[in-house]
């Protein structure tokens, strides 16, 4: 979905620029379509970051704790995050349903659809926070807890290509191992 929204932004703005400078006729609704797509893109991207557990965190202190205490801290963090998300959902829906919105001039759409991105994003994020809360509670009980380390497979593959044994031969397979290892 974010890639689709980014494509909408690029196409709309490109069409507006071409219309404005090539045909001397700008597209009136292009900037509004881009605005709507951009706002939704931001909130959906925040949701994706939450799903992967890649929000910015300062874990210098928590790394000093045992796994059980890291899990306990994570329980508190997730409870606070869920409370904030509930607040955003309740107030975002209230504003969406009861706010006085004027239509956008180019598209005629109500601005309320821009505001709907907030509670929708918060609803998805509360699901991921609940998932992480369950992991943290289990970690607090068992004493085994590690924050999920989501590493993009592409980055992992690139990192493997810089290993000295791979650089020496310039030959590596999907696992990053030198393909000539079996000959040694």
């Amino acid at each position: 979905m974010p890639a689709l929204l980014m494509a909408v932004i690029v196409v709309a703005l490109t069409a507006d620029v071409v219309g404005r400078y090539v045909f001397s006729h700008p597209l009136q609704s292009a900037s509004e379509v881009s605005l709507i797509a951009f706002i939704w893109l931001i909130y959906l991207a925040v949701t994706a970051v939450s799903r992967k557990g890649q929000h910015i965190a300062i874990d210098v202190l928590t790394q000093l704790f045992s796994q059980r205490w890291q899990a306990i801290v994570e329980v508190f963090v997730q409870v606070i995050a869920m409370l904030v998300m509930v607040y955003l959902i309740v107030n975002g829906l209230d504003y969406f349903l009861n706010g006085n919105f004027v239509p956008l001039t180019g598209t005629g759409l109500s601005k309320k659809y821009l505001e709907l991105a907030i509670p929708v994003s918060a609803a998805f994020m509360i699901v991921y926070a609940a998932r992480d809360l369950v992991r943290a509670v289990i970690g607090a009980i068992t004493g085994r807890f590690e924050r999920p380390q989501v590493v993009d497979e592409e980055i992992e593959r690139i990192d493997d290509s810089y290993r000295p044994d791979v650089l020496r031969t310039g030959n590596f397979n999907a696992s990053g191992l030198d393909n000539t290892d079996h000959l040694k």
Side-chain angles (χ1 to χ4, degrees), residues 44-56:
L44 291 177
V46 167
T47 302
V49 167
S50 180
R51 179 177 54 88
K52 293 181 178 183
Q54 293 180 328
H55 277 291
I56 295 173

Side-chain angles (χ1 to χ4, degrees), residues 13-28 30-31:
L13 291 178
T14 301
D16 187 39
V17 168
V18 169
R20 180 180 310 270
Y21 293 106
V22 175
F23 301 110
S24 298
H25 185 70
L27 299 176
Q28 292 180 348
S31 62

Side-chain angles (χ1 to χ4, degrees), residues 4-5 10 19 22 31 51 56 85 105-106 130-131 166 176:
L4 177 65
L5 290 171
V10 169
V22 175
S31 62
R51 179 177 54 88
I56 295 173
M85 293 308 124
T105 56
R131 174 202 63 192
V166 175

Side-chain angles (χ1 to χ4, degrees), residues 39-40 43-44 88-89 92-97 101 110-124:
I39 289 173
W40 275 91
Y43 283 100
L44 291 177
L88 288 175
I89 292 169
L93 285 176
D94 181 50
Y95 186 59
F96 174 76
L97 296 172
F101 298 98
S110 174
K111 286 185 179 180
K112 74 194 281 182
Y113 296 109
L114 297 175
E115 304 298 332
L116 185 61
I118 296 169
V120 168
S121 175
F124 283 120

Side-chain angles (χ1 to χ4, degrees), residues 65-137:
F65 299 156
S66 68
Q67 287 185 348
R68 175 167 279 137
W69 278 104
Q70 288 180 24
I72 291 169
V73 169
E74 185 71 14
V75 166
F76 286 114
V77 168
Q78 295 305 327
V79 167
I80 290 169
M82 290 175 75
L83 290 173
V84 169
M85 293 308 124
V86 167
Y87 177 82
L88 288 175
I89 292 169
V90 169
N91 288 311
L93 285 176
D94 181 50
Y95 186 59
F96 174 76
L97 296 172
N98 300 319
N100 292 324
F101 298 98
V102 296
L104 296 167
T105 56
T107 59
L109 291 174
S110 174
K111 286 185 179 180
K112 74 194 281 182
Y113 296 109
L114 297 175
E115 304 298 332
L116 185 61
I118 296 169
V120 168
S121 175
F124 283 120
M125 288 175 62
I126 205 167
V127 170
Y128 301 129
R131 174 202 63 192
D132 295 340
L133 177 64
V134 169
R135 284 186 193 152
V137 167

Side-chain angles (χ1 to χ4, degrees), residues 147-159:
R147 287 187 51 85
Q149 297 294 324
V150 179
V151 178
D152 191 1
E153 293 166 0
E154 182 68 20
I155 293 172
E156 203 170 272
R157 190 169 49 79
I158 290 170
D159 286 346

Side-chain angles (χ1 to χ4, degrees), residues 157 160-161 163 165-166 171-178:
R157 190 169 49 79
D160 283 346
S161 69
R163 289 185 19 221
D165 59 327
V166 175
N171 190 11
F172 64 94
N173 59 23
S175 68
L177 299 175
D178 188 339

